[in-house]
């Protein structure tokens, strides 16, 4: 339902543009949080692989007791009860994140004709200098 020109549909007032923009900004914050969750997921997996390497090196150095404990207690351990990080990512994506995206799109479709980044588009129009290089409104 995206309009090609990112222009305000007829009948949409300033307060609505600001409110929909605030919801989109909240979604963008959620996108950043999701990125951090993926960083957490990947860093935790990397730490587990590094711990496995440490177990191997401890064994090679003759420290089987310490290697055994790390292998039994740490390597492959759930990060929270019953879950590895990929399960946290999947639950987040399938629950909160999907719902947030659906709600933002629904509000935007209903109140702003589906136009994405309408607030920012109008901000760009207000803050550019017509005719100046690098200030074009469209590619």
């Amino acid at each position: 339902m995206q309009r090609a020109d990112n222009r305000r549909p007829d009948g949409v007032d300033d307060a609505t543009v600001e409110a929909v923009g605030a919801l989109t900004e909240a979604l963008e914050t959620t996108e950043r949080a999701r990125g951090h969750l993926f960083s957490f997921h990947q860093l935790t997996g990397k730490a587990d692989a590094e711990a496995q390497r440490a177990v191997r090196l401890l064994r090679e150095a003759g420290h089987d007791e310490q290697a055994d404990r790390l292998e039994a207690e740490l390597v492959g351990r759930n990060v929270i009860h019953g879950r590895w990080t990929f399960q946290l990512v999947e639950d987040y994506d399938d629950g909160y994140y999907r719902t947030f995206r659906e709600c933002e799109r629904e509000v935007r479709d209903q109140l702003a004709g589906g136009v994405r980044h309408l607030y920012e588009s109008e901000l760009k129009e207000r803050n550019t200098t017509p005719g100046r290089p690098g200030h074009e409104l469209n590619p």
Side-chain angles (χ1 to χ4, degrees):
M1 195 177 236
Q2 168 71 25
R3 290 170 50 125
D5 61 6
N6 282 61
R7 297 225 180 251
R8 184 186 295 209
D10 292 337
V12 178
D13 61 22
D14 290 346
T16 301
V17 170
E18 184 176 1
V20 173
L23 181 59
T24 298
E25 183 178 18
L27 174 61
E28 290 170 358
T29 300
T30 301
E31 295 283 1
R32 290 179 58 206
R34 183 172 179 258
H36 288 293
L37 182 60
F38 273 90
S39 292
F40 170 74
H41 163 60
Q42 291 177 347
L43 289 169
T44 301
K46 181 171 176 22
D48 193 70
E50 290 168 347
Q52 289 176 41
R53 178 175 177 261
V55 166
R56 181 180 53 79
L57 293 171
L58 285 167
R59 286 198 195 292
E60 290 173 5
H63 304 290
D64 288 337
E65 182 180 335
Q66 290 80 8
D68 289 345
R69 177 153 192 270
L70 288 175
E71 199 167 53
E73 297 294 326
L74 182 62
V75 172
R77 185 179 181 90
N78 291 322
V79 294
I80 64 169
H81 184 73
R83 290 191 184 337
W84 273 19
T85 58
F86 78 90
Q87 292 167 305
L88 299 176
V89 168
E90 289 177 356
D91 285 353
Y92 183 85
D93 275 356
D94 294 345
Y96 185 80
Y97 178 69
R98 180 183 348 177
T99 301
F100 209 125
R101 286 183 53 125
E102 289 170 357
C103 287
E104 188 273 344
R105 171 164 277 193
E106 182 178 299
V107 168
R108 185 170 29 88
D109 286 350
Q110 291 172 355
L111 301 180
V115 178
R116 294 184 299 169
H117 295 100
L118 179 56
Y119 181 86
E120 290 88 342
S121 177
E122 292 184 0
L123 184 65
K124 179 179 182 180
E125 285 187 41
R126 287 192 302 272
N127 289 321
T128 57
T129 304
R132 297 292 297 177
H135 286 249
E136 299 81 12
L137 293 178
N138 294 303

